[in-house]
Amino acid sequence: MENKKILVFLPKAFETMEFCVFIDVLGWARVDYGHNLPVDTCGFNEQVISTFNVPVTVDKTIGEINVDDYAALAIPGGFGEFGFYEEAYDERFLQLIREFDAKGKIIATICSGAFPVAKSGVLKNRKATTYHLKDGYYHERLKEFGVNVVNEPIVVDGNIITSYCPATASGVALELLKMLTSEQDMEVVKKLWDFKKNKSANYVG
């Protein structure tokens, strides 16, 4: 079976829930259904502190990454008030994003995770979204990068997935799973998560 490794990048002040959902969805697919979807976590340092001060020890630091080893890059959002953009906008990370996109690899983001992708330039003239509340303030900021902003929960433009709030996190992870495997395989995990009955989780249909 083809190895489809996923890199989950954690900038300083990432949101813990938005990080964990990638681990859970891909973990269910791997452990319960045999999909070869290993996950590496990555940051600028061996330990990264989340928005709400939860420390996470990552598998690799950014200098160890070879883009050819991965099928996808996942980026949780974070809080600017806690320093998210200090690392999210670091040129080393922006270049990593450019390399993933140049090779046509999947880039999946949640909420403000869209901003480093936009800052890298790969979202210019493409459709995307980000946090949609606060009177559209963040949508306007995203437009400054030349993005065609769409006010929808989850937006897919080619190889890039973006979303407009933390509540979409599970939907983004499931969309990533679908792109890595198939819609049928994604639906199996979605059903076991009881998405059909949970009306609050209707972002993936």
Side-chain angles (χ1 to χ4, degrees):
M1 186 179 293
E2 184 183 357
N3 186 333
K4 294 184 177 180
K5 187 181 288 188
I6 298 90
L7 184 69
V8 181
F9 196 92
L10 304 181
K12 172 185 174 181
F14 68 93
E15 281 225 60
T16 313
M17 180 191 76
E18 295 178 15
F19 152 60
C20 291
V21 72
F22 291 115
I23 305 301
D24 269 29
V25 166
L26 296 168
W28 278 58
R30 185 173 63 249
V31 174
D32 283 7
Y33 300 101
H35 287 292
N36 196 7
L37 298 170
V39 175
D40 281 343
T41 55
C42 181
F44 283 100
N45 301 294
E46 292 181 359
Q47 187 177 83
V48 185
I49 307 299
S50 77
T51 283
F52 301 115
N53 297 316
V54 176
V56 173
T57 301
V58 297
D59 301 308
K60 295 181 180 293
T61 54
I62 191 167
E64 300 175 275
I65 300 303
N66 181 348
V67 172
D68 291 334
D69 292 339
Y70 299 94
L73 171 65
I75 309 170
F79 276 47
E81 296 91 332
F82 290 84
F84 178 71
Y85 299 102
E86 293 171 18
E87 292 188 354
Y89 281 0
D90 187 292
E91 180 57 31
R92 291 169 292 173
F93 183 40
L94 301 184
Q95 182 57 30
L96 187 70
I97 292 169
R98 294 181 193 114
E99 290 177 22
F100 268 86
D101 184 63
K103 293 177 180 289
K105 296 174 184 286
I106 304 165
I107 300 174
T109 76
I110 300 170
C111 199
S112 59
F115 276 102
V117 183
K119 176 77 169 176
S120 76
V122 305
L123 276 178
K124 188 172 182 179
N125 299 321
R126 298 176 72 174
K127 293 186 293 184
T129 193
T130 191
Y131 191 61
H132 66 303
L133 301 178
K134 296 191 176 180
D135 298 319
Y137 170 76
Y138 292 98
H139 276 184
E140 292 303 313
R141 282 186 54 197
L142 197 64
K143 288 178 183 177
E144 293 172 5
F145 294 106
V147 180
N148 298 327
V149 175
V150 181
N151 189 27
E152 293 180 3
I154 295 175
V155 176
V156 179
D157 188 320
N159 61 314
I160 299 180
I161 309 167
T162 55
S163 78
Y164 77 5
C165 68
T168 63
S170 296
V172 171
L174 286 164
E175 184 68 27
L176 172 60
L177 176 62
K178 181 177 78 174
M179 293 173 73
L180 289 166
T181 58
S182 69
E183 184 163 4
Q184 181 179 4
D185 290 334
M186 180 273 285
E187 287 292 343
V188 171
V189 174
K190 182 178 170 182
K191 182 177 181 181
L192 287 174
W193 274 35
D194 207 19
F195 264 57
K196 293 296 185 183
K197 296 178 182 178
N198 183 356
K199 301 302 184 183
S200 66
N202 61 0
Y203 293 115
V204 290

